[in-house]
Amino acid sequence: MCSSDLYDGAAKGCTGSWTSGDGSGGTNVDVAYEGTGSTLYGPSSSAPTDAGTYRAVATFAGDQNHVASSDATTYTIARAGTTLDVASAVDPSVFGESVTFTANVAPVTPAVGDMNGTGTVSFSDGTTPIAGCQNVALVDGTARPATATCVTADLTGGTHTIRASYSG
């Protein structure tokens, strides 16, 4: 039995047991894990902690009365949700003035850990990408929230709806 669950930083593994036709059985089963598809992991005897799809192989080595056997299953640790907000350092601004937008990204509980190196943020004015503000790396993720910054002086006069999208 495997624990498919939402990412929270804890190991998510499988337990195994065996039962023979004579009613005997036990839990002396070894489980090995490896990532499948785009998930890079293992092979390892340690249960994975990161979000992804894994294959677990349970193996009973056999004993003096029972032959060895194994079985495999695939399970998923789902990615945790995030919150994202964007704010302007200057509001309102003067036409032609540089404006700094900051996006804050944080994991939703029960997720744990920092957000450094885990995705980028792209900024847009409505649906129009802001030049130089695409795929901005997150920084300071250990402080929660992680931030991405966009600086632009290219906005036209008027009201703007600035959007930020996080790539995960």
Side-chain angles (χ1 to χ4, degrees), residues 9 31-32 34-35 54 80 137 162:
V31 181
E34 63 185 348
Y54 301 90
I162 303 301

Side-chain angles (χ1 to χ4, degrees), residues 58-162:
T59 304
F60 168 60
D63 61 22
Q64 69 272 13
N65 298 315
H66 303 93
V67 296
S69 65
S70 66
D71 192 19
T73 191
T74 300
Y75 70 104
T76 300
I77 302 172
R79 292 169 57 181
T82 57
T83 60
L84 170 67
D85 65 70
V86 64
S88 171
V90 178
D91 188 13
S93 63
V94 177
F95 176 74
E97 175 183 18
S98 276
V99 180
T100 300
F101 299 104
T102 302
N104 295 301
V105 182
V108 175
T109 302
V112 297
D114 65 56
M115 304 277 299
N116 283 336
T118 58
T120 60
V121 174
S122 293
F123 295 84
S124 63
D125 180 3
T127 59
T128 304
I130 298 174
C133 295
Q134 302 304 296
N135 302 313
V136 179
L138 293 175
V139 295
D140 297 330
T142 56
R144 282 203 183 177
T147 60
T149 303
C150 165
V151 179
T152 185
D154 295 336
L155 298 177
T156 60
T159 301
H160 298 271
T161 301
I162 303 301

